[in-house]
Amino acid sequence: AAAEPPLRWEPRCRQQLRHLQDGAGIAARLPPRLEGRWVSTGCEVRPGPEFLTRSYLFYANRLFKAYQFYYWDPSCRDPSYSLVIKGKLRLRQASWITRGATEADYHLHKVGIVFHSQKAMQEVATWINQTSGEGCRGFLPPGRTWVPGALYELLSAKTERDCTAALGFAMHELSLVRVERHYQPLLQPQQSGSRLVEELYLGDIHTEWVERLHYRPTGYQRPMQNVVHHVHPCPACGIIYRADEHHPPILPLRAQLPMQLSGSWVSTHCEVRPAVLFLTRYFIFHGNNHTWEGYYYHYSDPLCKQPTFTIYASGHYTQGIPSSRVRGGTELAFKVTEARVTPMDQVTVMMLNSSEPGSCGLTSSWSTGVEQDITPTNGCLALGIKLPHTEYELFKTEQDTTDHSLLYVGERPTDGSSPDSPDKRPTSYQAPLIQCAGPPEEFSNYVSLKYLGKKDANGNEALKPLPVAFLLFIALLFLRWD
């Protein structure tokens, strides 16, 4: 393995990556316990875009009552309509596709809708009347006046009526479930100890609208938190907890931050992507010359403890412009011109060494813990990496409740492809990265980070970069399980 240059300006980044590699103190019970109420911790963005908050209540008898509150705006302050969803959920076996998750079956009993304006009522009625079958065409007669608080039935298991498809509505998110528990240190100086935090991960929403009604999740969306055991402070949690379909949550007004990319950003959790990718990310943006470096660390487990391969990528990016499609977002284009790969386990080494000659580095030359430049072969076909490569991205920055800067990068296409054309630009976001260092004083050609305790064949600690590749990893898992 190559020698590690000094990390002069990102000790917090290194510390955060080590924390994640150590499992971040997270425990996940199989099967999970769902009883109780779970709420969004802020305004969520779904592909489309759709802006919403959620509040789900699970009973001990497997029944559930879920609220979804939809908004016109990305701050979740201008409600459009609310859905109240009732049904039954049955947990099944551990997922054989998404490690660490539990599969579940659900059955919907009722779905009702409450409109919060005449505009929302007319818009939804138009969708339903235009796209639904005979049983829903007269859902709302033209010219019907909005009645505040009126509940209209969209779905009824008894009457076998279902008018939800026009809204792109499905509860397939309930078919993949994971609950994580960890402890948050108390923030007050005079206090010691920690408090329990429970997070509920439900299945991801397909990035293509037409696929949403059929897609069975293999990844997760932004987690909800238990109303009793949540991260403090959480101004949105109490507001969403107290809301119902007649009184949608109005979240606190937050200052709009300018896009400041310069500096270093790192994952806050072990992340899960569709097609079974477990990874952490680490980005460095150099604002003075609009260049960037990205480290993508791939793993085979949901706690990001068992490394499989890492990717280092670099290139340059364009000046951002405000998104006309996703309010609050910034559109950028990223050019990837260079990439290097380090296989971290024998399964990955075997896959890379069996790849077609000239398609991924030097033929049959891969070994565990040794990095190789894949730029001369224009990427790595086996990992789905093409060079040079341009991606059309969506970014936004926010501050969390403790004033840490967060960076949201556009969600990857669910089908594993790349946003390599403007029409494939994301309309929603991945899990946020947290800023761990300010702008670097000089361009660092390459910063490598160690897999702590992982040794190569020579007894040296092996290197560990992060991932910008997005598919075919499931093949590694199948190989591993076979």
Side-chain angles (χ1 to χ4, degrees), residues 41 55 63 89 100 106 119 167 196 202 261 283 289 313 357 408 415 423 436 476:
T41 57
S55 176
L63 295 176
L89 181 72
Y106 72 92
K119 176 187 173 185
L167 299 176
L196 176 65
L202 296 176
L261 271 186
F283 289 131
N289 58 6
Y408 291 82
D415 63 7
D423 62 303
C436 54
L476 296 181

Side-chain angles (χ1 to χ4, degrees), residues 42-52 74 76 221-222 326-327 394 396 398 411 427-429:
C43 195
E44 301 178 351
V45 185
R46 284 185 173 179
E50 287 181 330
F51 308 111
L52 77 157
C76 290
Q221 56 187 304
R222 178 172 169 172
V326 185
R327 277 194 290 158
L394 179 73
K396 75 170 176 177
E398 283 184 358
E411 192 168 355
T427 56
S428 57
Y429 302 99

Side-chain angles (χ1 to χ4, degrees), residues 80-81 113 115 119-129 139-140 154 166-167:
S80 170
Y81 62 87
I113 186 169
F115 303 105
K119 176 187 173 185
M121 184 179 193
Q122 290 175 339
E123 191 169 276
V124 172
T126 300
W127 293 342
I128 293 176
N129 290 338
F139 173 71
L140 284 175
L154 285 172
L167 299 176

Side-chain angles (χ1 to χ4, degrees), residues 112-267:
I113 186 169
V114 174
F115 303 105
H116 302 304
S117 66
Q118 182 72 29
K119 176 187 173 185
M121 184 179 193
Q122 290 175 339
E123 191 169 276
V124 172
T126 300
W127 293 342
I128 293 176
N129 290 338
Q130 287 178 350
T131 62
S132 299
E134 290 298 328
C136 297
R137 290 263 167 81
F139 173 71
L140 284 175
R144 172 73 68 88
T145 304
W146 171 55
V147 179
L151 179 70
Y152 301 92
E153 191 174 79
L154 285 172
L155 178 149
S156 170
K158 282 187 177 179
T159 62
E160 298 184 352
R161 185 190 199 205
D162 185 357
C163 304
T164 60
L167 299 176
F169 170 83
M171 286 299 285
H172 298 329
E173 63 192 271
L174 293 177
S175 62
L176 198 69
V177 181
R178 176 177 170 86
V179 173
E180 290 188 354
R181 295 161 58 100
H182 67 273
Y183 286 87
Q184 176 196 18
L186 298 177
L187 300 176
Q188 292 79 2
Q190 70 275 16
Q191 291 182 308
S192 61
S194 58
R195 63 165 59 89
L196 176 65
V197 175
E198 289 189 316
E199 294 187 306
L200 171 61
Y201 288 81
L202 296 176
D204 61 307
I205 308 299
H206 203 287
T207 51
E208 291 294 327
W209 182 273
V210 294
E211 299 294 333
R212 286 169 65 156
L213 300 183
H214 316 288
Y215 172 65
R216 292 293 170 171
T218 56
Y220 304 118
Q221 56 187 304
R222 178 172 169 172
M224 306 168 78
Q225 293 189 1
N226 189 294
V227 295
V228 178
H229 305 296
H230 63 265
V231 169
H232 291 262
C234 179
C237 293
I239 297 171
I240 298 170
Y241 167 68
R242 290 187 291 271
D244 60 32
E245 67 269 35
H246 305 296
H247 308 91
I250 310 296
L251 299 192
L253 185 63
R254 302 184 66 174
Q256 195 77 30
L257 292 181
M259 176 59 66
Q260 297 284 359
L261 271 186
S262 293
S264 302
W265 307 80
V266 67
S267 294

